[in-house]
């Protein structure tokens, strides 16, 4: 998987040419503030010659992305105000989130942490000790969420050092991992990672992130099977994105395909209004109409919860 990361696309023009698309036909953003990065595993699921491919749409930096738009900002969900300690965000009762790394296998243009300041975060030996000490002093917290970036970009030894430091904490009951890696870099879900997961003393929840049925292929399904074989409960959360999944057929296909691959539908998020993401926004009324259509088409266990995250709110806010 490390060699696959070294071979990832780091220039949008290179990806477009690889897809038999003329880069001159696109108005590309400079991308200086948020680098371009796409794994070849993800790119292989894009349709060659299709400028409107829903996977390409998620990663292609287009001109106007950096325009200043009222209502859009660098911290749309209040991460900065929720920092409880270096690397730790504490927003919701009973759980805390650890910024395990700033690294990610793919840079989605709507990413709500595209402007996040990762300085001071990360898991050095001293950082792991600080995290464990902070959690040990908080008996009200029963679940730790590993996030980033993407926590599965860390090597097995670093993940093991972290969880070994957490083992003595008696009130920790669950470890949740938020990761796009099973979708964008399924080779990372290898035997070494599986052994780490199988040895954990807590219930493990893996929340993947896929927005379109085309993101699933045999390699992704195999990665999810490996996660579940090691005891992980697997869910999928998606973001409602204009030009990607903002129609009922696409959303129903996502839920059906994801579930068939092993991921239970979890959340469907309204867009977090981060700077640069205006072109992806779907209005509340449109989102509610789509949800009504999904409820008519799908059994209840395949219908995700439509939510919005609002800075300072005590939980993800259901959208009715």
């Amino acid at each position: 998987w490390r060699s696959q990361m070294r071979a990832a696309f780091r220039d949008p023009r290179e990806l477009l040419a690889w897809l038999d698309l003329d880069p001159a036909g696109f108005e590309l953003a400079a991308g200086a503030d948020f680098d371009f990065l796409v794994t070849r595993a993800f790119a292989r699921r894009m349709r060659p010659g299709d400028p409107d491919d829903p996977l390409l749409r998620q990663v292609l930096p287009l001109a106007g992305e950096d325009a200043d738009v009222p209502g859009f900002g660098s911290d749309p969900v209040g991460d900065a105000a929720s920092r409880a300690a270096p690397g730790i965000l504490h927003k919701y009762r009973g759980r805390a989130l650890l910024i395990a790394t700033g690294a990610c296998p793919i840079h989605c243009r709507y990413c709500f942490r595209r402007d996040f300041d990762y300085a001071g975060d990360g898991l050095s030996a001293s950082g792991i000790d600080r995290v464990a000490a902070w959690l040990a002093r908080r008996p009200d917290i029963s679940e730790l969420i590993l996030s980033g970036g993407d926590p599965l970009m860390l090597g097995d030894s670093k993940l093991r050092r972290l969880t070994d430091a957490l083992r003595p904490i008696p009130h920790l009951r669950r470890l949740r991992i938020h990761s796009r890696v099973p979708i964008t870099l399924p080779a990372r879900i290898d035997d070494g990672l599986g052994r780490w997961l199988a040895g954990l003393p807590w219930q493990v929840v893996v929340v993947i992130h896929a927005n379109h049925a085309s993101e699933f292929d045999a390699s992704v399904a195999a990665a999810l099977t490996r996660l579940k074989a090691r005891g992980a409960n697997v869910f999928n959360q998606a973001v409602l994105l204009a030009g990607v999944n903002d129609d009922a057929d696409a959303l129903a296909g996502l839920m059906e395909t994801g579930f068939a691959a092993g991921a239970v539908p979890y959340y469907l998020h309204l867009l977090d209004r981060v700077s640069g993401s205006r072109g992806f926004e779907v209005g509340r009324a449109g989102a509610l109409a789509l949800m009504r259509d999904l409820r008519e088409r799908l059994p209840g266990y395949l219908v995700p919860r439509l939510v919005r995250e609002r800075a300072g709110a005590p939980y993800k806010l259901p959208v009715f």
Side-chain angles (χ1 to χ4, degrees), residues 163-182:
T163 52
D164 284 350
L166 301 177
R167 284 176 184 270
I169 301 174
H171 49 270
L172 192 61
R173 297 203 301 266
R174 287 181 302 279
L175 186 73
R176 193 194 322 174
I177 301 166
H178 284 188
S179 179
R180 196 136 158 77
V181 156

Side-chain angles (χ1 to χ4, degrees), residues 212-231:
H212 195 275
S214 297
E215 296 181 39
F216 292 90
D217 66 1
S219 68
V220 173
L224 299 186
T225 297
R226 290 194 290 273
L227 289 172
K228 295 174 74 172
R230 296 297 188 163

Side-chain angles (χ1 to χ4, degrees), residues 94 139 141-144 169-175 201-204:
I141 293 177
S142 59
E143 180 176 56
L144 180 65
I169 301 174
H171 49 270
L172 192 61
R173 297 203 301 266
R174 287 181 302 279
L175 186 73
W202 315 286
Q203 286 186 306
V204 176

